Amino acid sequence: MDPMPGRCFLCGASLPQEAMQAHLMECRPNQGGQTPLFLLFVQDAYFPKTYWLFLEVAQQTPLSALDDFLRRLWVDCCGHYSQFVIDGETYGRRPKASIVDLVLDEYTHLLPMDKPLQALLQVGQQVDYAYDDAWFTELRIHVLAAYDGPQPEGDVRLLARNYKPPRTCRQCDREATWLFTNAWPLEPYCSEHAKQHPAWGQPDAFLPYINSPRVGVCSYRGPQAQELLFEVYPPPEDE
Ligand SMILES: [Zn+2]
Ligand SMILES: [Zn+2]
Ligand SMILES: [Zn+2]
């Protein structure tokens, strides 16, 4: 997968991933705001230069709020298990836990996500995140900085994210809008060729091509909230 530049949502600038942190430190409003914040950089574990986010998170918010945000924006397909590994401890969450799950979780010392971030994170730390315990989506979270600023709405503020990686239909020159999931690697199709495919109409044989590390996995169809979709291709280089 190609490295993807991204957009700063504070000013609209397009920048390569490597330049974004320095840009955000200049671009973020430093007047006003007394809320202690962490600046987090989140990357897909396998395509770290393709799928990435910069977030500001209130330090007092519980770990579960960060989990909620990552689920809503990027990974949640059907309410699977998720976990953070921080300093060798595993903090997990099972929205649909059975009695057996709960007993096993206690046996394996799975910790709840109720602690505030400030009790768990420090600048320079790396945290591993996984969503789903069968068809994993794995992320790495880097704690880049700590500073005071305006309170983010819902405790998490999205500062920047990657543009959508352009993909072409395997049968023509049009943009891919679907992935055929009964093949590996997943096969990209435009709408027209997807609908001509013999498997079109079979459950989850085709999933929408979404700008997310969860793309094409399980039954992932993107965020439920339309405002969290970011299906924008990178602008031309000379712009
Ligand atoms: Zn900016
Ligand atoms: Zn699922
Ligand atoms: Zn096509």
Side-chain angles (χ1 to χ4, degrees), residues 70-235:
L70 293 171
R71 285 170 176 264
R72 275 203 310 276
L73 184 85
W74 240 18
V75 297
D76 199 12
C77 46
C78 32
H80 298 281
Y81 170 78
S82 63
Q83 69 174 35
F84 294 90
V85 179
I86 306 172
D87 273 338
E89 301 277 16
T90 304
Y91 300 82
R93 200 181 194 194
R94 250 180 245 289
K96 301 172 186 167
S98 67
I99 299 289
V100 175
D101 288 332
L102 294 174
V103 171
L104 276 174
D105 289 350
E106 192 166 335
Y107 181 73
T108 56
H109 304 291
L110 195 72
L111 299 169
M113 292 190 189
D114 54 357
K115 277 196 192 160
L117 295 179
Q118 63 195 358
L120 298 168
L121 302 183
Q122 40 193 314
V123 174
Q125 207 168 14
Q126 186 187 299
V127 171
D128 292 327
Y129 176 86
Y131 174 79
D132 192 355
D133 44 10
W135 297 93
F136 303 98
T137 294
E138 293 181 78
L139 309 177
R140 303 243 185 292
I141 303 170
H142 308 264
V143 186
L144 296 181
Y147 47 74
D148 291 346
Q151 167 69 31
E153 201 182 314
D155 285 343
V156 185
R157 180 183 290 123
L158 178 62
L159 298 180
R161 69 190 288 186
N162 66 278
Y163 285 105
K164 182 172 184 167
R167 293 195 71 177
T168 309
C169 174
R170 71 195 301 262
Q171 293 185 356
C172 72
D173 290 337
R174 278 180 295 227
E175 276 168 20
T177 50
W178 295 94
L179 291 176
F180 178 55
T181 62
N182 296 344
W184 188 259
L186 305 178
E187 295 173 347
Y189 283 88
C190 69
S191 298
E192 196 176 313
H193 283 121
K195 285 165 191 165
Q196 288 169 10
H197 194 285
W200 179 258
Q202 289 176 15
D204 296 338
F206 281 87
L207 289 171
Y209 178 51
I210 299 285
N211 183 15
S212 154
R214 188 77 179 158
V215 65
V217 183
C218 191
S219 60
Y220 189 69
R221 287 182 166 74
Q224 297 213 328
Q226 288 297 304
E227 67 271 19
L228 297 179
L229 271 173
F230 185 59
E231 302 301 302
V232 181
Y233 293 108

Side-chain angles (χ1 to χ4, degrees), residues 1 43-51 129 136-140 213:
M1 294 284 274
Q43 298 179 290
D44 181 272
Y46 300 102
F47 301 107
K49 291 184 177 290
T50 306
Y51 295 110
Y129 176 86
F136 303 98
T137 294
E138 293 181 78
L139 309 177
R140 303 243 185 292

Side-chain angles (χ1 to χ4, degrees), residues 8-13 20-31:
C8 166
F9 291 108
L10 301 172
C11 72
M20 192 57 89
Q21 184 183 354
H23 171 81
L24 289 171
M25 297 315 283
E26 297 277 305
C27 192
R28 72 180 194 87
N30 39 21
Q31 71 281 11

